Amino acid sequence: MSSPMLLLPLLLFLGLRVINAAAETRRPCRDLLPLDLLSRVLSRAGEGARGVTGGGVHLIQSGGVKGVRLSRPHPSLDFPSSQHLVNCHLFPREFSIVTTVKVSLVAPKKNEYIFSVVEEKEEEDARIGKRKGETQGGTESDEERDGETDGGGERLMDGEKRKGSGDGENSNSQGQLLIGLRFSRDGLHFLFRGRSGGVMARWVFRGIQLADDRWHTLVLAFSGHYATLTVDCNTHLELVHSKSLPSDLSVQGSRFHIGSRGRWNGLFSGLIRQLVLVLGSDATPRVCPSSNPGLAELAVPAVLLDLPQKETRSDLTLPSYESEVRVSVGLEKTCSSSVRGQLWFNPVRRALYLCDGTLWVPMLQESQRLDYVLEQQVLSTSSETYDMEVFSVHGLGLMAAMAHRSPSLGSAIYLWRDGGFHLYQKISTHGALSWRHFTMGKKIFLVVSNSRESTGKEETVEKDELSVIYRWNKKTQRFVHYQALQTHCARDWEAFRIQGHTYLAVANHRQGNTNHTIDSVVYKWDRGTQLFEPHQALRTSGAYDWEAFTVGPYHFLAVANAFDGQTTHVDSVIYVWVDGSFRLFQTIKTFCATDWEMFQIGSRVFLVVANGHQLHGNGPGRYAINSTIYELDMSSQLFLRFQDIVTYSAVDWEFFTVGEESYLVVANSFDGESHSLNSIIYRWQGYEGFVPIHRLPTIGCSDWEFFTSGEESYLIYSSATAPLSKVFRLKTH
């Protein structure tokens, strides 16, 4: 009688094991080391006399460096994907390809493959194909059989196929082309298809000239619907494709083919010096900038490096300076009194160290750079979140105050522990829109912007609409109510100090439902009453954000005006502190401005505005519009337009640095149809301004905050449309 009872748990256990095993095999490939595909095939071919290797692989020197030329397809030039993509099943939607090539000429209507990933077929399928007339050379093009299109049904042709290789090396057991990188006279083509079938799609980078008999290094970075191509660390092209990279592309049962797709047709005729696949990240920061952009390196096979060998003689007497100071190269080196004064170079860190007898002292070290971004934590919140404030409390650590939408559930403060945020304190709020942290001496404060929806009884709403200042209580280790201030749909608070005094500025968005042109207020701390008292009223139009900053001896306050009741085409205003109050400094035309972010790079001062959308009267709104970076021009004493960046109903900018590199991340919240879209990280590139390097999937993104914990750097975003926030860890190299 007990057998059936014992059997049921066993079956459930085995079922869970099967489900878990299936889930494990469907993991995408990421966090792998860069895959040096060219070294893989060279090690199989082996070098022979006069630079000739097996399988028609030739080592050719051109332009002072070596490359690989292929004379025919060969089994040594392909290998199973599973040999290198281990412990994973799906090809990631974010990856990079780095290749260095030299091409003399491309024939008209000819496509040549740099590499491909092809599905394997069983031998029985191949025999059936032969009986149906699939000869070795074939008569129909690869693309005709694969049904490849350009997203609009355009048939792609490879020109005439070379028939009958006669060497028996061109396998007929190939299946469909899954991934391909090829080029032609009209540009560089990336082809892909999901394993679930469907039409082949391609992305084409046009207008680049590769067939000029010069070495070129190409870095292609892909993420979802987006792709970028960097040529010689200079030319930067970006594509947005209607077809996203497939999420079901399995690497199981497929083969990599180098320099072809396994057939004569499409064989690469140029030289290849480098071919690297980087999964899960954008490899551009690893390669660029470079002192030799055309030959920029990520991973070049050792046989192509062509490094001269130094002559070694046991009886050679070194000069005194060479015998006293030596440079060791390696990943690890012990510093002791016996090697005091000696140098050590770490090739991974790209750093030079000097031994002081006990420790290695850095003499020259490459700064950290953002490599890629990992999802660290998905934080479930009690409600949608409009804003966050990350700050530190001495003796306790990092905290995050989150402004939750729900008036019944209130807002919450989270504490950072063990690599994630955990609920620490709940605070009663009413339609909270933002938090701001500030200190006065040893006193720690938080101020929240509360708002209430209109009910038609405006007097009641106005009377109850109070924002609150909370003070940290050391005994209870909690924030407690300190002071309430009358506000009007307050969107933001800004705290700052001028000449030893503390000020708070509130952005009053509207009074009632229709009156947007109202006073926002600057409060000043009164040392006598120990309260904040009104200091100055400033007329604003749908105020959304304040940004206070200092340049030299001057104090500025910028307001983001969003709406005047009729249109979002309103001026935002920058004020300057003169004789105890703020006065007009400059007006800037904005479109539903939701945020100002001031930052400095070196001695240069910038302001970036987040433009939300264009709306006038009852007309349609535009959500894909430019947000603009302005730079302070010292000669004209004005902020002048520096760079426009297309954003999608942007609501926040966050500036941060990693090492010596500077970055901006934007909160894209809505594109007119969906709240699920990418927010983007941009890196400072000097004269090029900010360029996109990472795209992070977000849902109704409302705010970004950057913070550090130990030696790690993080970003966290909040969602105004879903009860969640996400923490991302920034991987550096």
Side-chain angles (χ1 to χ4, degrees):
M1 294 178 62
S2 61
S3 297
M5 297 297 293
L6 292 175
L7 184 60
L8 180 59
L10 179 61
L11 290 175
L12 290 174
F13 173 74
L14 292 176
L16 290 174
R17 288 286 301 274
V18 171
I19 292 171
N20 290 336
E24 284 296 311
T25 60
R26 301 297 295 179
R27 291 185 305 176
C29 301
R30 57 182 61 185
D31 295 339
L32 298 176
L33 294 175
L35 303 179
D36 185 352
L37 303 178
L38 196 56
S39 289
R40 174 70 173 81
V41 298
L42 288 178
S43 64
R44 294 180 66 193
E47 186 176 6
R50 298 181 181 178
V52 180
T53 65
V57 179
H58 304 262
L59 304 186
I60 307 295
Q61 183 165 324
S62 179
V65 296
K66 283 184 178 180
V68 174
R69 172 164 289 156
L70 309 176
S71 60
R72 56 178 175 167
H74 191 273
S76 67
L77 299 177
D78 65 82
F79 54 88
S81 304
S82 58
Q83 288 187 0
H84 285 276
L85 304 178
V86 296
N87 298 324
C88 57
H89 187 75
L90 301 176
F91 204 83
R93 299 180 69 200
E94 184 176 9
F95 63 95
S96 301
I97 302 168
V98 181
T99 185
T100 302
V101 296
K102 185 175 184 180
V103 182
S104 300
L105 182 67
V106 181
K109 298 183 180 180
K110 182 69 174 177
N111 290 296
E112 298 185 356
Y113 283 85
I114 296 175
F115 90 98
S116 62
V117 179
V118 179
E119 184 181 35
E120 291 183 312
K121 276 191 175 182
E122 298 295 335
E123 293 182 1
E124 180 63 25
D125 292 340
R127 287 195 294 269
I128 293 173
K130 272 192 174 182
R131 289 198 297 269
K132 290 184 178 181
E134 285 189 15
T135 61
Q136 188 171 12
T139 58
E140 68 174 350
S141 72
D142 301 334
E143 283 66 45
E144 285 178 319
R145 186 179 65 254
D146 289 337
E148 175 196 338
T149 70
D150 191 14
E154 175 189 354
R155 185 71 65 184
L156 306 179
M157 303 296 291
D158 251 349
E160 293 188 10
K161 295 175 69 71
R162 178 171 180 174
K163 299 182 181 180
S165 65
D167 54 14
E169 293 170 352
N170 207 1
S171 173
N172 287 309
S173 61
Q174 292 180 355
Q176 296 187 109
L177 178 69
L178 301 178
I179 294 176
L181 178 63
R182 70 185 192 192
F183 70 94
S184 63
R185 278 193 172 184
D186 68 339
L188 191 70
H189 307 243
F190 178 74
L191 302 89
F192 62 90
R193 171 183 11 223
R195 288 297 288 271
S196 60
V199 177
M200 177 74 72
R202 67 166 177 168
W203 294 4
V204 183
F205 294 90
R206 303 187 189 278
I208 58 172
Q209 299 298 322
L210 295 178
D212 56 2
D213 201 30
R214 297 172 58 187
W215 286 105
H216 295 288
T217 295
L218 315 176
V219 184
L220 293 98
F222 299 90
S223 179
H225 288 273
Y226 299 88
T228 59
L229 169 64
T230 304
V231 182
D232 300 337
C233 294
N234 186 9
T235 304
H236 184 84
L237 302 176
E238 183 170 353
L239 288 181
V240 180
H241 202 278
S242 59
K243 282 194 174 183
S244 172
L245 291 171
S247 59
D248 62 343
L249 181 52
S250 173
V251 297
Q252 303 298 312
S254 64
R255 298 185 72 86
F256 277 91
H257 293 266
I258 309 303
S260 73
R261 58 160 297 173
R263 299 167 180 167
W264 280 101
N265 182 46
L267 181 67
F268 185 73
S269 63
L271 298 177
I272 308 178
R273 178 172 169 82
Q274 176 178 221
L275 182 58
V276 186
L277 181 62
V278 182
L279 303 178
S281 68
D282 182 352
T284 310
R286 301 191 187 189
V287 180
C288 301
S290 172
S291 59
N292 192 357
L295 292 167
E297 296 181 1
L298 178 60
V300 175
V303 70
L304 300 180
L305 292 176
D306 200 21
L307 297 176
Q309 298 295 321
K310 292 184 178 181
E311 181 181 1
T312 57
R313 289 176 51 191
S314 58
D315 59 345
L316 185 63
T317 303
L318 295 174
S320 58
Y321 66 88
E322 290 192 25
S323 61
E324 293 175 1
V325 180
R326 300 176 185 272
V327 180
S328 300
V329 179
L331 301 181
E332 295 184 3
K333 180 71 175 177
T334 303
C335 176
S336 62
S337 58
S338 61
V339 294
R340 182 176 182 178
Q342 303 302 313
L343 297 172
W344 165 47
F345 178 74
N346 187 317
V348 173
R349 300 178 185 173
R350 298 182 183 180
L352 184 67
Y353 300 90
L354 175 68
C355 177
D356 66 358
T358 305
L359 300 173
W360 289 107
V361 180
M363 303 294 292
L364 181 64
Q365 188 169 4
E366 185 180 60
S367 62
Q368 283 187 325
R369 298 185 69 181
L370 177 58
D371 189 7
Y372 58 99
V373 182
L374 295 173
E375 187 176 289
Q376 176 80 8
Q377 180 191 15
V378 178
L379 177 62
S380 296
T381 55
S382 61
S383 174
E384 300 89 342
T385 304
Y386 284 114
D387 179 75
M388 297 175 299
E389 180 82 339
V390 178
F391 57 95
S392 181
V393 173
H394 180 71
L396 199 59
L398 279 170
M399 286 185 162
M402 298 194 178
H404 293 333
R405 176 182 179 180
S406 172
S408 59
L409 298 175
S411 296
I413 299 173
Y414 296 84
L415 180 65
W416 180 262
R417 281 288 183 270
D418 301 322
F421 282 108
H422 303 274
L423 182 62
Y424 183 81
Q425 180 183 358
K426 289 186 176 181
I427 295 180
S428 177
T429 55
H430 304 279
L433 296 176
S434 72
W435 283 100
R436 186 67 64 218
H437 162 265
F438 64 97
T439 60
M440 288 189 293
K442 295 183 179 180
K443 300 175 183 177
I444 302 172
F445 295 90
L446 274 177
V447 57
V448 66
S449 301
N450 281 323
S451 68
R452 285 183 182 271
E453 295 293 334
S454 175
T455 61
K457 299 178 180 180
E458 302 300 340
E459 293 183 1
T460 303
V461 172
E462 292 300 316
K463 182 178 179 181
D464 294 342
E465 198 168 15
L466 300 173
S467 293
V468 180
I469 302 172
Y470 298 87
R471 180 178 172 180
W472 178 252
N473 186 301
K474 293 182 179 179
K475 292 183 179 179
T476 63
Q477 297 282 285
R478 292 291 187 271
F479 282 97
V480 296
H481 186 286
Y482 185 80
Q483 181 184 0
L485 296 168
Q486 181 75 54
T487 54
H488 306 286
C489 191
R491 298 288 325 192
D492 181 58
W493 284 97
E494 183 77 345
F496 52 92
R497 290 181 62 82
I498 298 177
Q499 298 171 355
H501 295 279
T502 300
Y503 296 86
L504 278 177
V506 65
N508 285 323
H509 184 66
R510 70 171 187 270
Q511 195 166 0
N513 277 341
T514 58
N515 189 8
H516 290 78
T517 303
I518 58 177
D519 285 340
S520 291
V521 181
V522 178
Y523 297 88
K524 180 181 179 181
W525 176 257
D526 189 303
R527 294 171 181 170
T529 62
Q530 295 287 291
L531 295 172
F532 281 95
E533 306 288 351
H535 176 76
Q536 182 181 3
L538 296 170
R539 205 69 170 171
T540 55
S541 296
Y544 220 96
D545 178 69
W546 284 109
E547 178 77 351
F549 59 96
T550 301
V551 180
Y554 301 102
H555 302 277
F556 295 92
L557 188 62
V559 64
N561 286 324
F563 188 59
D564 65 1
Q566 296 293 326
T567 179
T568 60
H569 299 203
V570 294
D571 288 341
S572 291
V573 183
I574 303 173
Y575 300 92
V576 64
W577 182 266
V578 178
D579 296 332
S581 63
F582 285 104
R583 299 185 183 180
L584 177 65
F585 175 77
Q586 183 181 354
T587 60
I588 295 178
K589 178 66 70 177
T590 53
F591 304 94
C592 190
T594 55
D595 181 58
W596 282 108
E597 178 84 350
M598 177 269 183
F599 58 93
Q600 289 186 251
I601 299 177
S603 60
R604 303 171 68 176
V605 178
F606 297 91
L607 266 178
V608 57
V609 65
N611 283 321
H613 66 276
Q614 292 183 352
L615 176 67
H616 184 76
N618 296 323
R622 288 184 55 199
Y623 299 92
I625 60 175
N626 284 334
S627 292
T628 303
I629 302 173
Y630 299 87
E631 182 177 6
L632 180 60
D633 180 70
M634 295 301 182
S635 59
S636 64
Q637 296 186 351
L638 292 172
F639 282 92
L640 304 180
R641 184 186 302 270
F642 173 77
Q643 182 182 0
D644 289 325
I645 298 176
V646 177
T647 54
Y648 298 87
S649 194
V651 291
D652 182 58
W653 284 101
E654 179 79 357
F655 175 80
F656 62 96
T657 60
V658 176
E660 296 180 1
E661 299 287 332
S662 300
Y663 301 88
L664 277 172
V665 59
V666 65
N668 286 324
S669 66
F670 187 60
D671 63 2
E673 296 181 355
S674 173
H675 294 283
S676 297
L677 64 163
N678 287 333
S679 293
I680 301 177
I681 299 177
Y682 300 85
R683 184 179 67 239
W684 173 252
Q685 289 287 88
Y687 72 93
E688 294 182 67
F690 284 89
V691 299
I693 61 166
H694 287 287
R695 292 168 175 81
L696 303 176
T698 54
I699 303 173
C701 187
S702 59
D703 187 29
W704 281 104
E705 292 291 325
F706 171 80
F707 65 96
T708 60
S709 177
E711 297 183 354
E712 300 287 351
S713 299
Y714 300 88
L715 282 171
I716 180 174
Y717 93 86
S718 59
S719 172
T721 61
L724 61 85
S725 292
K726 284 189 179 182
V727 180
F728 297 91
R729 181 160 54 96
L730 307 183
K731 293 290 291 183
T732 60
H733 73 94

